[in-house]
């Protein structure tokens, strides 16, 4: 029994190659050991599939041209994708842990957008202007902003930012 408990501790630590063995050749202990070993194989396969799925999803998020910002309940930046970096000319590591409100103010984002984010209001395809900050980072752009709640940790939110400058400029040229 102690050996089975020790094996369970090894499985809990992610050591999936361990198996419960027994000297019992046809009794209840053998059935229990076989069931336990079968459960470990299924768990291993499930964790491997979950890891593969997570990697696939992360690759999709990184490849998106839209900026994605994951915010905690206090509106601090948890993570951003490469699209965010391209829009704002910033590196992901330079903004993690910062207030998204301070970041948006830095780029002279529309006050109504900032207030809506602070009030936890849903935004859906809101157009706003974004200017280069006082240090010259970024460029003047027209952005489309949306928010979404996540199914993850309570209070986490997703801010989706799309650079629509080129589209708007093309529309304006066509109008003229």
């Amino acid at each position: 029994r102690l050996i089975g408990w020790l094996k369970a501790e090894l499985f809990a630590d992610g050591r999936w190659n361990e198996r419960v063995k027994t000297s019992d050749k046809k009794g209840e202990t053998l059935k229990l050991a076989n069931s336990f070993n079968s459960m470990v194989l299924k768990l291993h396969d499930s964790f491997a599939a979950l890891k593969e799925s997570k990697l696939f999803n992360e690759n999709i998020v990184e490849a998106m041209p839209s900026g994605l910002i994951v915010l905690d309940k206090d509106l601090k930046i948890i993570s951003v994708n490469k699209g965010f970096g391209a829009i704002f000319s910033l590196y992901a590591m330079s903004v993690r842990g910062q207030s998204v409100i301070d970041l948006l103010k830095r780029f002279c984002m529309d006050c109504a957008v900032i207030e809506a984010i602070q009030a936890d209001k849903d935004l859906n395809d809101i157009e706003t202007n974004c200017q280069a900050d006082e240090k010259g980072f970024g460029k003047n752009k027209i952005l489309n902003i949306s928010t979404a709640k996540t199914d993850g940790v309570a209070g986490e939110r997703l801010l989706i930012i799309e650079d629509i400058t080129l589209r708007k400029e093309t529309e304006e040229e066509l109008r003229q």
Side-chain angles (χ1 to χ4, degrees):
R1 292 178 193 192
L2 178 61
I3 291 173
W5 180 80
L6 291 173
K7 294 292 183 177
E9 289 292 315
L10 293 174
F11 298 140
D13 288 338
R15 294 172 60 185
W16 301 101
N17 294 328
E18 300 290 331
R19 297 290 175 262
V20 174
K21 296 176 184 160
T22 180
S23 58
D24 186 355
K25 299 296 180 203
K26 54 183 168 178
E28 290 295 317
T29 307
L30 177 64
K31 289 179 185 176
L32 182 60
N34 287 341
S35 293
F36 192 81
N37 290 334
S38 175
M39 178 185 67
V40 168
L41 286 172
K42 289 177 184 175
L43 280 172
H44 176 266
D45 291 346
S46 294
F47 277 117
L50 185 61
K51 186 177 180 180
E52 186 178 314
S53 177
K54 182 179 185 244
L55 182 61
F56 178 73
N57 289 333
E58 287 172 353
N59 287 336
I60 290 172
V61 167
E62 282 302 311
M64 292 180 65
S66 296
L68 299 177
I69 306 171
V70 179
L71 305 171
D72 70 11
K73 63 180 176 52
D74 298 319
L75 301 179
K76 300 280 187 213
I77 298 171
I78 296 172
S79 66
V80 298
N81 71 341
K82 289 179 184 174
F84 163 86
I87 292 170
F88 290 102
S89 301
L90 294 170
Y91 293 104
M93 294 302 292
S94 69
V95 297
R96 283 196 184 123
Q98 289 186 22
S99 162
V100 75
I101 301 304
D102 292 344
L103 179 75
L104 296 177
K105 285 179 181 176
R106 177 176 159 190
F107 290 97
C108 303
M109 191 75 60
D110 181 359
C111 289
V113 170
I114 293 172
E115 289 168 4
I117 292 169
Q118 286 176 310
D120 200 23
K121 292 182 180 174
D122 289 334
L123 299 175
N124 193 19
D125 294 327
I126 304 299
E127 289 183 19
T128 186
N129 292 316
C130 175
Q131 302 170 358
D133 71 1
E134 67 279 356
K135 296 177 185 172
F137 291 109
K139 298 178 181 172
N140 294 341
K141 299 177 184 201
I142 303 170
L143 302 177
N144 186 17
I145 310 277
S146 296
T147 59
K149 306 243 189 282
T150 67
D151 290 333
V153 177
E156 280 188 357
R157 299 181 63 199
L158 185 63
L159 184 60
I160 304 128
I161 302 175
E162 181 184 8
D163 184 351
I164 58 171
T165 308
L166 185 59
R167 183 179 85 203
K168 289 295 184 178
E169 288 171 352
T170 303
E171 288 173 358
E172 185 59 32
E173 287 176 13
L174 289 173
R175 270 193 284 269
Q176 294 174 4

